[in-house]
Amino acid sequence: MKNNIKYLAILALGLVACEPEFDNPIDEAGVYSSGEADFSNYVALGNSLTAGFADSALYITGQENSYPNILSQQFALVGGGEFTQPLMADNTGGALLGGTQILSNRFVLAFDAEGNPGPAIYAGASPTTEISNNLGSFFNNMGVPGAKSFHLGAPNYGDVAGVAVGTANPYFARFASSAGTSVIADAAAQNPTFFSLWIGNNDILSYATSGGVGVDRTGNPNLADYGSNDITDPGLFNSTYQALIGALTANGAKGVVLNLPNVSTLPFFTTVPFAPLSPLDPNFGPQIPTLNATYAGLNAAFAFAGVPERAISFSASAASPVVIKDESLEDVSADLAIALAGTFGPLAPIVAAQYGQARQATANDLLVLTSSGVIGQVNEARLAELISFGLTPEQAGQFSVNGVSYPMEDQYVLTPAEQSSVENARQAFNTSIATIASENGLAFYNVANDLAQAANGGILFDGGVITSDFVTGGGFSLDGIHPTPRAHALVTNGILNAIEIAYGATLPSVNPGDYGTVTLSNEVGAN
Amino acid sequence: MKKLLLLVLFAFVTLVTYAGGYRVSVQGQRAMAMGHTGVAVVNSAELVFFNPAGLVYLENKLNISAGASGIFTDVIYQNSDFGSSSETDSSVGTPLNLYGSYKVNDWLALGLGVYTPYGSEVTWPTDWAGSHLVNNIELAAIYIQPVVSIKLSDQFSIGGGPIYVTGSVNFNRNANRTLTDIDGNRSNITVDDSGVSNWGWSVSAMFNPTENFRLGFSYRSEIILEAEGGEATFSNFPNSPATPANGTTTFDAELPLPAELTIGLSYQFHKKWLFAFDYNRQFWDVYESLDIQFGNGSTSLNPRNYKNSSVYRFGLQYDATSKISLRAGYYFDESPVQSGFFAPETPRNDSNGFSGGFSFAITPKLAIDASFFYLRFEEINESYDSYQENGQDVPFGGTYKSSAFAPGLGLTYKL
């Protein structure tokens, strides 16, 4: 019996020794550290980028792959607490207000009958997120799609009653703690120990994506004058940003801020070429001689008006630039009307008005992604208008082809002058962000640099290169503006690095190769 | 008592057999307790496996040995660059063995064995960091072998016989690192087949130069399990013409069960003490690649490039009383996995095995055999470098550490 006890002891020893254990397990103290930062209550503020908006919609998997959520998983290794998000109800995207759909479904990558991939609206399920269904608690991810800098401090921004009339934000209405609260108030009420702030993108982006139809409000801080597509006054941005940081650091919280990347390198602006009109296109090529003959008369009128450089012609051997309307040009309609009177008689003023600020696009013009479905198509509205002016349907048709005979409207083109407005504001905003970060001892991530790298050569990862190319580049979702999960992983790594530098933390990065890009599905509408 | 201590020391100071790859060397409780030595040990019907030639030297007319072990294995993984870590679900493998031999006359014995020399059961958490290589795998192969043992002289005998194998496999992994359906569920593939059978053979010899000294030789042929028309299930793929459709299709694949050569000796250096040494050479180089051809046209090529490997085994037996025998053993097991081919479905590096056990004779005819072994692996930084995305190698690596512990019980009956 004594012997048996000995054997049992040996057996027990063996069982204990059986559990394998690393020399330096990563979940033990000493491998990673939070440095001077305290991640126990991390709150993320920002816009769509922070919310995890992608493919033109907010949906669960996009939220799960948002950089704040990925960050929180790394923070969890050094004392980070639970990270909650106002998750949507599904992966369809889209949302309802009072049962009526007010936000459209997400994009997915679908293949057409010829096997060509392209973004299409997901139609596999109906949206189930009801905006008026308030989630009723605070969330760590306070990212609100569509928010501009000054919206974060705006009372009633989450008042569901204001959603239908456009005075409140549908996404914030889902989780605002009260009708009158603001994003920053709800964030501060959570007493964050650590925060991230990435705001200001929409202060220039809405202007850019709308092709510059808004107004550059530089020098005018009066919000009452602002439309939704305007560029925010840098002075207003600076004071707004100061106030946000002031509120977030009031309790001594540490944090990280991100600057604003160049918008003109987004696939939304770089995918549609300025010269897409190919002579090999059977719908366009055969008409080139007739078009050039017609434009010869207009070109003479341009010369008469003193702007011969605006002459328009299409090449029979190479792709030609589209014809656009550039509001920065002097309007020469009156001179054109005089010159064209011989050819067009009483219709001359109408034709002249169409070309008063027209020119062919150059490499410096940026055509927005949404123009791709419009170029070369008959503009039905203009067609009807011209017929109402007295043109024959045939004549009207000839003058109504978008980008060929009817200049692309302002909303489709970001001209160099508009790009300058955007870029000047961005530089000013970035100066504010860097300065305020420095003054407050915050971690600062120059994400603009990394996105410039993605647009210019790409960023290496273990499975290849991440670029800004639409669909194939891996960096941008199917709306051409918002990042993919893989790009969120890159942003996460950049933030982690900034935190290490600012606060002496030691944190593991994430592997971008473990994060996906665009989602495939052929459950799409007939389109 | 002093001798017992010696035995225990032998077991613990030296650092038992669970060979590399998916070879599971637990083919007899008595042998297991002695570091899985046995090619030159004449002791029980376990010889059907270890060296059929030796059966004819067993004293009794009828010998039966039966046993089973529970193998508890754990593998842990971490990658400090990415802060990721995982642990396999502690799986319990249960290798079984049943042997019988019958001495027809002085020079001829016949035997039959059923044993499970190959198998693997590894279950990682679903969608873990290496899920594009494996989520879980379960392999099993049952060998059924009739043998004949012929005594050519008191010094020399030969043996061998055909082997019938029936195997099964169940293997699940994700399609790649990122593909999901619309709801973010990772696309994955399960292959499942059973009743995959084939034939092989074994041949062996035993030489007894003196009464106390034996030499043994044994060779078991390689057997290729060819799964044809097995069931493959594709799950959570997006509804897209660019990816395979969800549902079941067929698959073809081959899995080699490599040949194994053993030479060894046993020496009765005292009337109560027996020492045994076995050297195994396992011809793993046959396992070049695990290639799966699916019925829907997809293929999966997984280079393995295993190398031949050796195992060195030492065993000691002490007949404490007429009823009790104590055993201990040690072995060094060389992994067949080469650097850069460390796939998490068989995460094995070189290991040291420690074993022990005893037999207790309840009656002169019936004995209980008990064994245990503990297999110790060094922590290792390794990677699998042959996984490809878009034609580019994407290594998956980190730090691994494994261990295995297996208690076993058996019965020996002699008539």
Side-chain angles (χ1 to χ4, degrees), chain B residues 171-192:
Chain B
F171 179 34
N172 173 276
R173 78 169 177 209
N174 290 348
N176 58 37
R177 294 193 291 172
T178 57
L179 188 67
T180 69
D181 65 10
I182 191 86
D183 286 320
N185 300 308
R186 298 278 299 272
S187 308
N188 67 86
I189 304 163
T190 305
V191 298
D192 185 272

Side-chain angles (χ1 to χ4, degrees), chain A residues 414-505:
Chain A
L414 199 64
T415 60
E418 294 166 337
Q419 292 168 42
S420 294
S421 295
V422 170
E423 185 60 13
N424 290 340
R426 182 179 79 94
Q427 299 285 359
F429 296 171
N430 279 350
T431 300
S432 290
I433 295 171
T435 304
I436 295 167
S438 168
E439 286 168 0
N440 289 277
L442 300 173
F444 169 74
Y445 172 37
N446 189 344
V447 64
N449 268 6
D450 283 353
L451 264 91
Q453 178 64 38
N456 187 15
I459 296 171
L460 287 171
F461 77 112
D462 70 353
V465 185
I466 301 166
T467 71
S468 297
D469 294 339
F470 191 49
V471 179
T472 56
F476 289 92
S477 72
L478 297 169
D479 58 26
I481 295 171
H482 293 96
T484 57
R486 185 166 293 162
H488 274 281
L490 287 178
V491 169
T492 302
N493 286 343
I495 292 173
L496 289 166
N497 186 45
I499 292 172
E500 291 191 328
I501 292 168
Y503 298 124

Side-chain angles (χ1 to χ4, degrees), chain A residues 278-291:
Chain A
S278 166
L280 302 175
D281 179 346
N283 295 321
F284 174 69
Q287 301 189 46
I288 291 174
T290 318
L291 284 163

Side-chain angles (χ1 to χ4, degrees), chain B residues 20-311:
Chain B
Y22 38 90
R23 172 86 171 93
V24 182
S25 293
V26 191
Q27 270 71 56
Q29 295 303 322
R30 291 188 172 188
M32 192 67 252
M34 294 173 66
H36 208 254
T37 55
V39 74
V41 177
V42 177
N43 181 325
S44 72
E46 286 174 9
L47 279 165
V48 172
F49 171 82
F50 286 91
N51 188 343
L55 289 169
V56 77
Y57 294 122
L58 286 170
E59 288 168 8
N60 301 85
K61 204 161 178 68
L62 180 68
N63 295 276
I64 294 173
S65 288
S69 293
I71 304 186
F72 301 83
T73 54
D74 283 290
V75 186
I76 53 176
Y77 162 84
Q78 69 177 27
N79 183 315
S80 57
D81 290 343
F82 302 126
S84 50
S85 60
S86 283
E87 184 177 353
T88 56
D89 182 22
S90 303
S91 57
V92 184
T94 50
L96 305 167
N97 44 261
L98 176 64
Y99 306 108
S101 77
Y102 179 73
K103 205 168 185 177
V104 179
N105 54 40
D106 181 53
W107 58 270
L108 177 69
L110 301 174
L112 181 69
V114 179
Y115 53 94
T116 54
Y118 290 94
S120 181
E121 197 175 331
V122 177
T123 305
W124 292 98
T126 302
D127 302 337
W128 75 293
S131 57
H132 56 296
L133 299 175
V134 59
N135 273 314
N136 60 69
I137 185 167
E138 203 177 330
L139 269 180
I142 300 173
Y143 277 45
I144 301 170
Q145 183 180 18
V147 296
V148 56
S149 178
I150 299 166
K151 181 157 84 177
L152 301 177
S153 75
D154 283 344
Q155 279 77 42
F156 192 66
S157 68
I158 55 171
I163 300 171
Y164 173 77
V165 180
T166 174
S168 64
V169 63
N170 184 291
F171 179 34
N172 173 276
R173 78 169 177 209
N174 290 348
N176 58 37
R177 294 193 291 172
T178 57
L179 188 67
T180 69
D181 65 10
I182 191 86
D183 286 320
N185 300 308
R186 298 278 299 272
S187 308
N188 67 86
I189 304 163
T190 305
V191 298
D192 185 272
D193 202 6
S194 58
V196 184
S197 61
N198 210 336
W199 289 87
W201 51 272
S202 84
V203 58
S204 74
M206 186 172 280
F207 178 51
N208 313 310
T210 72
E211 212 172 300
N212 299 326
F213 186 59
R214 296 183 198 272
L215 295 168
F217 157 89
S218 173
Y219 178 82
R220 227 174 357 271
S221 74
E222 125 191 344
I223 301 175
I224 310 284
L225 284 182
E226 296 170 10
E228 282 178 16
E231 185 177 274
T233 308
F234 286 65
S235 306
N236 299 337
F237 279 77
N239 182 352
S240 169
T243 61
N246 286 313
T248 58
T249 180
T250 58
F251 81 92
D252 295 344
E254 281 187 6
L255 189 73
L257 306 175
E260 183 172 290
L261 171 75
T262 305
I263 54 173
L265 58 89
S266 72
Y267 182 52
Q268 183 95 35
F269 61 91
H270 178 274
K271 63 179 184 187
K272 290 188 164 185
W273 288 88
L274 178 80
F275 169 78
F277 168 76
D278 277 21
Y279 167 78
N280 299 143
R281 183 70 174 168
Q282 294 164 343
F283 298 93
W284 281 107
D285 64 351
V286 63
Y287 196 28
E288 291 170 359
S289 186
L290 176 62
D291 298 341
I292 306 174
Q293 176 71 50
F294 295 101
N296 63 11
S298 306
T299 54
S300 172
L301 307 177
N302 307 282
R304 289 292 179 258
N305 270 349
Y306 275 30
K307 64 177 181 189
N308 295 339
S309 62
S310 298
V311 190

Side-chain angles (χ1 to χ4, degrees), chain A residues 125-150:
Chain A
S126 300
T128 55
T129 304
E130 171 59 49
I131 295 295
S132 62
N133 179 18
N134 191 281
L135 300 174
S137 65
F138 286 132
F139 292 94
N140 294 88
N141 191 337
M142 297 287 294
V144 177
K148 296 187 178 188
S149 59
F150 50 82

Side-chain angles (χ1 to χ4, degrees), chain A residues 172-495:
Chain A
F172 187 42
R174 293 181 61 236
F175 62 97
S177 64
S178 68
T181 193
S182 66
V183 175
I184 188 70
D186 277 9
Q190 299 184 54
N191 274 318
T193 59
F194 194 84
F195 68 88
S196 64
L197 178 64
W198 192 7
I199 196 71
N201 314 72
N202 290 325
D203 296 67
I204 47 174
L205 189 68
S206 61
Y207 175 88
T209 54
S210 67
V213 296
V215 178
D216 180 359
R217 298 289 179 187
T218 298
N220 175 6
N222 184 6
L223 275 176
D225 296 339
Y226 283 39
S228 61
N229 293 327
D230 293 357
I231 293 175
T232 304
D233 169 43
L236 174 64
F237 179 84
N238 188 66
S239 58
T240 303
Y241 209 88
Q242 292 272 19
L244 292 171
I245 294 296
L248 290 166
T249 56
N251 283 354
K254 295 185 171 16
V256 59
V257 297
L258 290 79
N259 65 0
L260 310 177
N262 187 347
V263 299
S264 64
T265 56
L266 297 173
F268 190 82
F269 299 103
T270 59
T271 302
V272 179
F274 76 97
L277 303 173
S278 166
L280 302 175
D281 179 346
N283 295 321
F284 174 69
Q287 301 189 46
I288 291 174
T290 318
L291 284 163
N292 281 341
T294 309
Y295 271 121
L298 181 69
N299 291 345
F302 279 137
F304 171 79
V307 288
E309 70 279 5
R310 297 192 201 172
I312 292 164
S313 72
F314 299 110
S315 167
S317 58
S320 297
V322 288
V323 179
I324 65 167
K325 180 182 176 188
D326 179 352
E327 319 80 58
S328 70
L329 295 179
E330 185 200 348
D331 190 337
V332 295
S333 311
D335 288 340
L336 293 183
I338 295 167
L340 294 172
T343 318
F344 291 98
L347 295 175
I350 295 160
V351 176
Q354 182 156 329
Y355 296 103
Q357 291 177 302
R359 65 171 169 88
Q360 265 178 303
T362 73
N364 295 322
D365 294 305
L366 298 175
L367 289 162
V368 301
L369 192 57
T370 43
S371 69
S372 68
V374 174
I375 292 167
Q377 306 293 314
V378 171
N379 187 317
E380 300 292 344
R382 183 61 180 168
L383 179 73
E385 195 176 30
L386 289 175
I387 291 170
S388 77
F389 289 155
L391 274 71
T392 65
E394 194 188 0
Q395 280 175 317
Q398 279 170 358
F399 284 104
S400 303
V401 181
N402 288 321
V404 176
S405 57
Y406 183 61
M408 297 296 291
E409 291 167 280
D410 190 12
Q411 72 203 71
Y412 294 117
V413 192
L414 199 64
T415 60
E418 294 166 337
Q419 292 168 42
S420 294
S421 295
V422 170
E423 185 60 13
N424 290 340
R426 182 179 79 94
Q427 299 285 359
F429 296 171
N430 279 350
T431 300
S432 290
I433 295 171
T435 304
I436 295 167
S438 168
E439 286 168 0
N440 289 277
L442 300 173
F444 169 74
Y445 172 37
N446 189 344
V447 64
N449 268 6
D450 283 353
L451 264 91
Q453 178 64 38
N456 187 15
I459 296 171
L460 287 171
F461 77 112
D462 70 353
V465 185
I466 301 166
T467 71
S468 297
D469 294 339
F470 191 49
V471 179
T472 56
F476 289 92
S477 72
L478 297 169
D479 58 26
I481 295 171
H482 293 96
T484 57
R486 185 166 293 162
H488 274 281
L490 287 178
V491 169
T492 302
N493 286 343
I495 292 173

